[in-house]
Amino acid sequence: MELVASAIRLTVPILLASLGAVFSERGGVVNIGLEGIMIVGTFFGALGALKYGPAAGVAMAAAAGLALALLHAVVTITFHVDQIISGVALNMLAGGLTRFLSILLFGMATQSPGVPGFAPLSVPLLRDVPFLRPVASGISPLVVLAALAVVAAHLILTRTVFGLRLRAVGENPHAADTLGLNVYVLRYSGVLLSGVFAGVAGSYLAIEQGRHYFEGMTQGRGFIALAALIFGNWWPVGAAAASALFGFFDALSLRVVVTGVPYQFITALPYAVSILVLAGVVRRARPPAAAGRPYVKEEG
Amino acid sequence: MSPRVRLTVLQAAAPLVALLLGVVVAAAIMLALGHDPVATFALMASFNLRPASLASIAFKATPLIFAGLAAAMAFRVNLWNIGVEGQYYIGAFAAAMVGFGLRGLPAVIHLPLTILAGVAGGVLWALPPILLRLRRGAHEVITTIMMNYIALALVHYLLADVFRDPAQAGTPRIRTPLLAASARMPGLHDALALAGIELPGHSALNWLLPVGILLCVALALLLSTTRAGYEVRAVAHGAGAAEAAGIPLDRVHLMMFAGSGALAGLVGLNDLLGFFGYFDVDFPKGLGFLGISVALLAKNHPVGIIFAALLFGYLDRGAEGIQVFSRVPREVITILQAVTILAIVVAYEGVSRYLRALRTREAAVPGAATPGPEAA
């Protein structure tokens, strides 16, 4: 049960970022800058929590993620620059920016002082069962939020006008445009949502998991989130299942003594799995048809 | 100004304007920190003119030339090799294994073998993504990113659990045994002394720099004058049309991506064979991602890559200078680089859009321009 509880905690950041990736890619924009956005999220999460408490930390991380995602959106959607290039530049910018701001605001290049977290929640009755105690107590409110976000994201994509239009734009922007949808506005929304999610994912790492910010604390989880997106076949529930699997591997790799397998192999597992999924070994991957392609509205 | 002339001017001006934008942003940050930007950049310029700095800039530029070339070769044919990072890690570790594993060989055999191992490691790590792309349609962006992480995990495992230097047991140092002297890359001191240039004694500048520059020139000639180069350029302009014209698309993609991996295998050798002489857990990371930036800045042109790599080396060395001498955080320069890259891709996109508009206009007016091969 300790392992399960640890797996849940490690699932949340991957899950939140991969939900963001679902919105971005469903709208047709690949965002490999998620890693960078998450890094910025860890920094601003710690900063906000330090100054005004954990809720402010999450809000600041979300705002910072939004700002960085806006940059990605402007460059890729308005200026039609290749989405991969923009993402690479975004990751580079995030690295320099956080280090710089950390020196400026924390007085240290690579870490912050300790920050306060949320008061943990626990489930009445269940928490008194010794076997269930690890999973039924000490729950971060963000874990609950992440679980609700999966359901919300699924409903938004399948039941709302916005979700259906977003998917249309990701599959066939020309047809969507012909039908009178504003491709640019919809794609902007998808990318901005991904920024908010990835920012919050970062803040979870800093506020709830690390209780302070340190450089490199994302450990490539932004990229793992993309792997979860692929494994989950670009659906929120699938992404959640994949994130849970990867979170479990993550928890397992921390228990190297128990398994006896070199932890590096367990660390590499999510990456290997996503390559196999993409190669169609596990099953057929079907990304949104227009993901990765800039949409240029015909002029005249 | 005729449209053609204006286009040439635009193409030349684009990198400069982007760099200027990066400088302006960096200057604004320096101002906000209470530093005088003009004085800081002046300090950077004078610091970088010291002999030790010039040698350092050339040393820092060396791996970036290989990394930039590696990225550019794949980008040229519209394949996104984001995996230069992992490929050079595997390549450098393979080279290290040959370097410390073989003993008693003369340098004329050992050094080429070591380099070859680096190249082989790079190719090995580039093959799965490109084969999966060509055979199963798996997008190489994601697979190469994943391969980067697998490379890192694999190298750490090999380093810590398999090839750790027994002499370091009981110490916290995790590294391979020292490479044999016969596998080390000789420095440039003697050659430069012949030309009357005195290289600072501690400089690690080595023969990989001239090798890298020659490779750039050779690849530029290969691309512009040979049949294979023509095929590559045809695929770059339009894969569909190239295939219709009988160019074996898959073969060109495979060759260019494997070539990209081979070049990536050389990236880590500057530090491994020219400086450290062993591979440890702190072996330089991130050169592959910098290579992507270098390739973007040079618009994938092999000769442009030399200058872009030198510019990055210059900025990196300058960042150290301003950090030490005026307490401006060096990250300001990282931000400058990132802003420049974002600006340059937007600027190039603008130029190529202008080019498209120009061609459409020329096509619309019969006889306005002599139709060249590209206009057809």
Side-chain angles (χ1 to χ4, degrees):
Chain A
M1 272 299 132
E2 285 288 350
L3 183 65
V4 174
S6 158
I8 291 174
R9 286 195 293 273
L10 290 165
T11 297
V12 171
I14 302 171
L15 170 60
L16 284 170
S18 72
L19 284 180
V22 169
F23 282 111
S24 182
E25 297 217 357
R26 277 290 172 183
V29 182
V30 175
N31 187 357
I32 66 167
L34 279 182
E35 173 73 11
I37 296 178
M38 244 176 127
I39 290 172
V40 169
T42 58
F43 176 83
F44 279 97
L47 182 69
L50 195 65
K51 295 261 153 92
Y52 309 105
V58 174
M60 272 181 80
L66 189 76
L68 223 56
L70 181 64
L71 190 60
H72 185 60
V74 169
V75 170
T76 59
I77 302 171
T78 303
F79 289 109
H80 314 301
V81 167
D82 189 278
Q83 296 163 7
I84 303 304
I85 292 175
S86 172
V88 169
L90 213 61
N91 287 335
M92 188 167 153
L93 182 65
L97 194 67
T98 46
R99 231 182 130 103
F100 166 73
L101 289 174
S102 180
I103 294 171
L104 201 62
L105 297 170
F106 296 141
M108 295 174 275
T110 55
Q111 60 174 30
S112 77
V115 303
F118 286 100
L121 308 174
S122 58
V123 187
L125 297 178
L126 289 185
R127 70 184 165 208
D128 298 325
V129 182
F131 175 68
L132 291 176
R133 185 172 297 142
V135 281
S137 65
I139 303 166
S140 163
L142 286 181
V143 173
V144 182
L145 188 77
L148 291 177
V150 177
V151 181
H154 182 78
L155 292 178
I156 287 171
L157 284 176
T158 53
R159 298 288 155 86
T160 67
V161 174
F162 166 73
L164 294 174
R165 286 182 172 171
L166 184 71
R167 282 165 57 199
V169 162
E171 293 292 340
N172 192 337
H174 288 278
D177 197 1
T178 311
L179 292 172
L181 300 185
N182 192 329
V183 176
Y184 289 175
V185 167
L186 285 161
R187 287 195 160 182
Y188 261 88
S189 322
V191 175
L192 293 182
L193 274 172
S194 78
V196 171
F197 273 100
V200 173
S203 74
Y204 173 86
L205 281 175
I207 300 173
E208 295 293 82
Q209 207 147 293
R211 293 281 153 130
H212 71 297
Y213 156 83
F214 64 90
E215 188 173 58
M217 73 188 305
T218 55
Q219 291 179 315
R221 286 196 178 87
F223 293 125
I224 299 224
L226 290 178
L229 166 83
I230 294 161
F231 202 13
N233 222 6
W234 287 265
W235 279 110
V237 177
S243 302
L245 187 67
F246 295 162
F248 177 72
F249 289 144
D250 220 356
L252 212 57
S253 72
L254 296 176
R255 284 167 175 68
V256 54
V257 190
V258 183
T259 55
V261 181
Y263 76 93
Q264 294 97 339
F265 287 96
I266 302 175
T267 318
L269 216 51
Y271 305 112
V273 167
S274 49
I275 290 177
L276 294 179
V277 170
L278 264 185
V281 175
V282 181
R283 64 176 164 60
R284 194 96 197 95
R286 209 193 75 80
R293 291 202 212 115
Y295 178 65
V296 183
K297 204 174 156 78
E298 274 172 45
E299 281 140 27
Chain B
M1 226 187 321
S2 83
R4 285 283 165 195
V5 174
R6 201 183 307 159
L7 181 71
T8 315
V9 171
L10 276 178
Q11 265 170 340
L16 295 177
V17 171
L19 184 62
L20 192 68
L21 189 67
V23 169
V24 167
V25 171
I29 295 174
M30 289 174 194
L31 265 182
L33 292 177
H35 293 278
D36 177 357
V38 178
T40 309
F41 279 115
L43 172 78
M44 181 163 155
S46 67
F47 174 77
N48 274 354
L49 278 175
R50 295 178 185 187
S53 290
L54 292 175
S56 163
I57 290 167
F59 178 77
K60 285 172 190 290
T62 305
L64 297 182
I65 289 176
F66 294 115
L69 269 183
M73 288 306 105
F75 291 0
R76 247 334 225 303
V77 287
N78 301 314
L79 289 172
W80 296 112
N81 184 4
I82 312 294
V84 175
E85 188 74 15
Q87 288 148 20
Y88 95 73
Y89 238 62
I90 294 291
F93 197 82
M97 290 200 309
V98 172
F100 68 73
L102 301 176
R103 297 277 160 184
L105 290 174
V108 279
I109 297 174
H110 200 178
L111 184 58
L113 270 183
T114 309
I115 296 172
L116 217 59
V119 169
V123 173
L124 177 78
W125 219 245
L127 279 180
I130 188 58
L131 290 177
L132 288 175
R133 163 72 195 260
L134 297 177
R135 290 282 154 80
R136 326 257 334 179
H139 203 295
E140 74 281 0
V141 166
I142 307 293
T143 50
T144 49
I145 289 175
M146 303 302 156
M147 290 294 279
N148 285 342
Y149 281 94
I150 299 175
L152 209 61
L154 179 65
V155 166
H156 276 178
Y157 167 71
L158 292 175
L159 191 58
D161 292 10
V162 186
F163 293 107
R164 186 172 177 194
D165 183 8
Q168 307 290 336
T171 73
R173 277 193 295 276
I174 299 177
R175 66 176 213 205
T176 63
L178 277 179
L179 271 61
S182 51
R184 299 290 299 270
M185 185 62 68
L188 276 179
H189 301 78
D190 297 343
L192 285 177
L194 285 180
I197 303 168
E198 196 192 338
L199 194 59
H202 55 79
S203 172
L205 193 62
N206 58 69
W207 277 94
L208 281 168
L209 178 69
V211 168
I213 292 174
L214 281 178
L215 259 178
C216 285
V217 176
L219 279 170
L221 289 176
L222 215 67
L223 283 174
S224 58
T225 59
T226 65
R227 184 201 160 105
Y230 167 76
E231 291 186 349
V232 168
R233 281 181 291 135
V235 172
H237 278 296
E243 193 169 30
I247 291 172
L249 193 57
D250 279 7
R251 203 180 69 200
V252 171
H253 276 157
L254 181 65
M255 291 310 293
M256 290 303 272
F257 205 87
S260 172
L263 288 162
L266 297 170
V267 173
L269 302 188
N270 184 54
D271 282 292
L272 180 76
L273 308 181
F275 186 52
F276 291 112
Y278 55 82
F279 193 109
D280 71 349
V281 276
D282 293 323
F283 194 76
K285 289 191 187 73
L287 294 171
F289 288 111
L290 283 173
I292 293 173
S293 299
V294 167
L296 293 176
L297 198 58
K299 226 182 164 192
N300 301 332
H301 193 284
V303 175
I305 281 166
I306 302 173
F307 296 102
L310 283 170
L311 175 68
F312 268 54
Y314 181 90
L315 290 173
D316 195 23
R317 176 66 178 178
E320 289 169 4
I322 61 172
Q323 167 142 315
V324 173
F325 291 107
S326 73
R327 308 196 146 269
V328 175
R330 55 175 304 164
E331 284 67 31
V332 173
I333 300 301
T334 314
I335 297 173
L336 184 160
Q337 289 173 328
V339 170
T340 303
I341 294 304
L342 273 173
I344 195 80
V345 290
V346 172
Y348 282 147
E349 181 65 31
V351 172
S352 64
R353 237 196 277 184
Y354 179 74
L355 184 66
R356 270 200 299 275
L358 203 64
R359 286 195 180 143
T360 318
R361 220 179 310 152
E362 278 174 1
V365 185
T370 43
E374 330 133 290

